């Protein structure tokens, strides 16, 4: 359920903001008996933004007819399953959103039902303002994508029109390329998708499984869960395009959790037969032999020197930006599994940042290692260049080392000379 500017609870422009504030204050006073004022939902009606340039009318200017029309125009939206006190808090929350929008704050034009419930659960007005800003930016991002698609469609149409004009001007001339009178066949997207699904179906039958553990929802915030779903979408796309893909198996799935719902939005056909992914509420211990399972965790002691096609590798689907906790290591130890980490220190020299890689980077480099067995090439291809020393950087550092050592010797000699001068009588 989306609430937009055309919803019935939107107020007409003829009603002044001061009348709205007075009516909201009256509603707040009437709900004091229900301990509403002690609830963590203070109104934001008395801090207008400096962007609001239209002056208020005085209270005396608001006639009783204006206030009556205000009361009639406020048709509140109803949320199912709310108590009487929560319903009154929800009405005040709708007042707050509308006043913030009229005052020039960054408030989305459409709020879904689950987002309303999230706002009701916010403990303070500061957290609600941050959530309003987050929803506003998300809406602007979606509008930006729509505008980009429209511009691309216009460019495609212009290109097609130019091609038609070129054909009409020189119909007998041979024109090479897709869409022209060449004898090469046009490979459509449906044909590519069919070939990719064939490879995934083959991997499901005789390929090597790669398990993604989705049992870390409670350790991630909502934004981290959305980021996790985005990384898994990119990993699925890279694995689907590979020559010899993995069979991706998602275990410990909470189908009511925010991570799975974010994946439904990221992968449009996730619930259709054309999406060859397998989701299960069961643990990987119930699906695969325990002696073949290897949990990949960055906190493990041993490096993964060789890629074994008989093993079942498990990757913990967790994005922790606040602080890096060894959750995957603790879980693997608790379940008595073999553990290993990627051989980053063996093949690369780390430059800056933490060694926690994104999920799509880990799955992509495993796909490359499975294909050619070259760890160094896979690590350099998928780890961001800013995090590791490149070969040209190491060569330049090798050339500078003699100069650095010479400068260090001069500094030590100068310090020794100063010390002898101080000790001299």
């Amino acid at each position: 359920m989306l609430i937009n500017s055309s919803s019935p609870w939107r107020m007409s422009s003829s009603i002044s903001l001061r009348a709205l504030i007075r009516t909201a204050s009256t509603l707040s006073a009437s709900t004091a008996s229900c301990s509403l004022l002690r609830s963590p939902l203070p109104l934001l009606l008395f801090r207008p933004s400096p962007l609001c340039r239209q002056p208020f009318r005085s209270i005396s200017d608001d006639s009783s007819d204006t206030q009556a029309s205000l009361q009639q125009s406020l048709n509140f939206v109803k949320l199912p399953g709310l108590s009487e006190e929560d319903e009154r808090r929800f009405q005040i929350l709708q007042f707050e959103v509308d006043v913030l929008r009229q005052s020039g704050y960054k408030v989305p034009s459409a709020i879904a039902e689950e987002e309303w419930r999230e706002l009701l659960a916010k403990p303070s007005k500061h957290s609600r303002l941050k959530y309003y800003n987050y929803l506003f930016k998300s809406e602007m991002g979606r509008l930006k994508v729509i505008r980009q698609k429209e511009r691309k469609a216009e460019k495609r149409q212009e290109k097609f029109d130019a091609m038609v004009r070129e054909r009409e001007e020189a119909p007998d001339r041979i024109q090479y390329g897709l869409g022209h009178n060449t004898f090469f066949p046009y490979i459509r997207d449906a044909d590519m998708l069919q070939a990719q699904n064939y490879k995934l179906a083959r991997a499901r039958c005789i390929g090597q499984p790669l398990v993604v553990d989705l049992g870390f929802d409670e350790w991630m915030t909502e934004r981290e869960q959305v980021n996790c779903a985005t990384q898994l979408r990119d990993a699925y796309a890279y694995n689907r395009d590979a020559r010899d893909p993995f069979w991706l198996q998602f275990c410990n799935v909470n189908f009511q959790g925010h991570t799975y719902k974010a994946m439904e939005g990221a992968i449009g056909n996730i619930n259709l037969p054309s999406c060859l992914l397998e989701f299960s509420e069961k643990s990987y211990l119930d699906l695969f032999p325990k002696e073949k399972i290897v949990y990949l965790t960055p906190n493990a002691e041993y490096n993964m020197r060789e890629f074994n096609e008989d093993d079942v590798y498990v990757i913990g689907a967790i994005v922790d930006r606040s602080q890096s906790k060894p959750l995957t290591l603790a879980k693997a130890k608790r379940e008595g599994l073999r553990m290993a980490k990627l051989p980053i220190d063996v093949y690369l020299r780390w430059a800056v940042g933490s060694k926690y890689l994104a999920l799509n980077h880990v799955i992509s480099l495993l796909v490359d290692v499975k294909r050619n067995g070259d760890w160094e090439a896979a690590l350099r291809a998928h780890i961001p260049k800013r995090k590791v020393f490149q070969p040209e950087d190491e060569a330049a550092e090798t050339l500078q080392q003699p100069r650095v050592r010479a400068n260090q010797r001069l500094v030590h000699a100068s310090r020794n000379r100063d010390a002898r001068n101080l000790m001299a009588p």
Side-chain angles (χ1 to χ4, degrees), residues 265-362:
I267 305 175
N269 62 336
I270 194 172
N271 295 319
L272 299 177
S274 59
C275 181
L276 297 180
L277 291 175
E278 187 170 347
F279 295 87
S280 175
E281 297 179 347
K282 297 181 180 180
S283 173
Y284 39 82
L285 296 175
D286 301 330
L287 301 175
F288 303 100
K290 185 176 181 180
E291 60 273 8
K292 290 187 176 182
I293 298 177
V294 178
Y295 210 113
L296 298 181
T297 169
N299 305 108
E301 182 179 358
Y302 300 103
N303 289 306
M304 181 180 170
R305 295 299 187 99
E306 295 181 357
F307 183 86
N308 190 357
E309 295 186 357
D310 294 331
D311 291 335
V312 178
Y313 295 103
V314 181
I315 300 173
I318 180 170
V319 176
D320 190 0
R321 295 185 177 276
S322 58
Q323 53 182 348
S324 300
K325 300 177 182 178
L327 299 176
T328 54
L329 177 67
K331 187 172 184 178
K333 283 187 175 181
R334 185 169 60 251
E335 295 175 347
L337 300 175
R338 290 184 294 162
M339 295 168 288
K341 63 180 179 180
L342 299 178
I344 299 176
D345 297 329
V346 177
Y347 296 96
L348 300 179
R349 183 182 174 190
W350 202 259
V352 66
S354 63
K355 296 182 181 179
Y356 292 88
L357 302 180
L359 298 174
N360 55 318
H361 294 163
V362 176

Side-chain angles (χ1 to χ4, degrees), residues 143-331:
L143 293 177
K144 181 180 178 181
V145 172
I146 293 175
R147 288 193 294 267
Q148 289 177 350
K149 289 182 178 180
E150 292 176 352
R151 287 195 294 267
K152 289 181 179 179
E154 293 176 357
K155 291 181 179 179
R156 286 195 300 268
Q157 185 64 33
E158 292 176 358
K159 185 177 180 180
F160 178 77
D161 295 340
M163 184 179 62
V164 171
R165 289 193 300 268
E166 186 178 356
R167 285 180 178 179
E168 293 176 352
E169 294 174 357
D172 298 333
R173 187 178 62 184
I174 297 178
Q175 299 175 0
Y176 293 95
L178 296 178
H180 296 80
N181 54 358
T182 178
F183 60 87
F184 292 106
Y186 179 74
I187 301 177
R188 302 181 180 276
D189 294 339
D191 300 331
M192 294 295 298
L193 181 61
Q194 184 178 4
Q196 293 168 352
N197 288 341
Y198 172 78
K199 291 187 295 183
L200 291 178
R202 180 180 179 275
R204 176 65 180 87
C205 297
I206 59 175
Q208 182 178 7
L210 180 63
V211 179
V212 180
D213 185 8
L214 292 180
F216 297 95
D217 277 6
E218 58 182 359
W219 296 98
M220 293 186 291
T221 63
E222 181 179 344
R223 295 189 183 183
E224 291 172 347
Q225 290 171 351
V226 173
N227 194 2
C228 178
T230 304
Q231 294 179 12
L232 292 176
R233 176 202 62 191
D234 297 341
Y236 166 66
Y238 190 87
N239 179 69
R240 185 183 58 184
D241 295 338
R243 181 178 301 176
D244 185 14
F246 286 101
W247 171 245
L248 291 181
Q249 174 88 30
F250 295 88
C251 296
N252 297 320
V253 181
N254 180 13
F255 292 101
Q256 303 301 325
H258 194 76
T259 300
Y260 182 77
K261 292 183 178 179
M263 289 187 65
E264 288 181 332
I267 305 175
N269 62 336
I270 194 172
N271 295 319
L272 299 177
S274 59
C275 181
L276 297 180
L277 291 175
E278 187 170 347
F279 295 87
S280 175
E281 297 179 347
K282 297 181 180 180
S283 173
Y284 39 82
L285 296 175
D286 301 330
L287 301 175
F288 303 100
K290 185 176 181 180
E291 60 273 8
K292 290 187 176 182
I293 298 177
V294 178
Y295 210 113
L296 298 181
T297 169
N299 305 108
E301 182 179 358
Y302 300 103
N303 289 306
M304 181 180 170
R305 295 299 187 99
E306 295 181 357
F307 183 86
N308 190 357
E309 295 186 357
D310 294 331
D311 291 335
V312 178
Y313 295 103
V314 181
I315 300 173
I318 180 170
V319 176
D320 190 0
R321 295 185 177 276
S322 58
Q323 53 182 348
S324 300
K325 300 177 182 178
L327 299 176
T328 54
L329 177 67
K331 187 172 184 178

Side-chain angles (χ1 to χ4, degrees), residues 15 17 45 50 89 111 122-123 126 136 140-141 149 184 213 224 241 261 291 339-340 358 378 384 403 411 420:
I15 301 174
L17 188 60
L45 301 176
R89 294 176 65 242
I111 301 179
K122 294 296 181 183
H126 179 69
F136 179 80
M140 292 299 103
K149 289 182 178 180
F184 292 106
D213 185 8
E224 291 172 347
D241 295 338
K261 292 183 178 179
E291 60 273 8
M339 295 168 288
R403 186 183 303 173
V411 171
R420 287 195 297 270

Side-chain angles (χ1 to χ4, degrees), residues 23-93:
T23 307
S25 303
T26 305
L27 181 60
S28 299
S30 64
T31 55
S33 60
C34 297
S35 67
L36 179 60
L37 298 180
R38 295 191 298 270
S39 64
L41 187 60
L43 279 175
L44 297 176
L45 301 176
F46 308 103
R47 295 181 60 190
S49 170
L51 298 176
C52 184
R53 294 287 184 255
Q54 184 177 1
F56 292 155
R57 293 189 299 172
S58 62
I59 300 179
S60 60
D61 295 337
D62 294 328
S63 61
S64 58
D65 296 338
T66 305
Q67 297 181 11
S69 61
L70 174 64
Q71 294 286 350
Q72 294 176 0
S73 62
L74 293 177
N75 298 323
F76 294 104
V77 178
K78 302 293 184 180
L79 286 182
L82 293 182
S83 62
E84 182 178 357
E85 180 178 351
D86 291 338
E87 184 65 31
R88 294 179 179 176
R89 294 176 65 242
F90 180 52
Q91 294 178 2
I92 296 180
L93 189 62

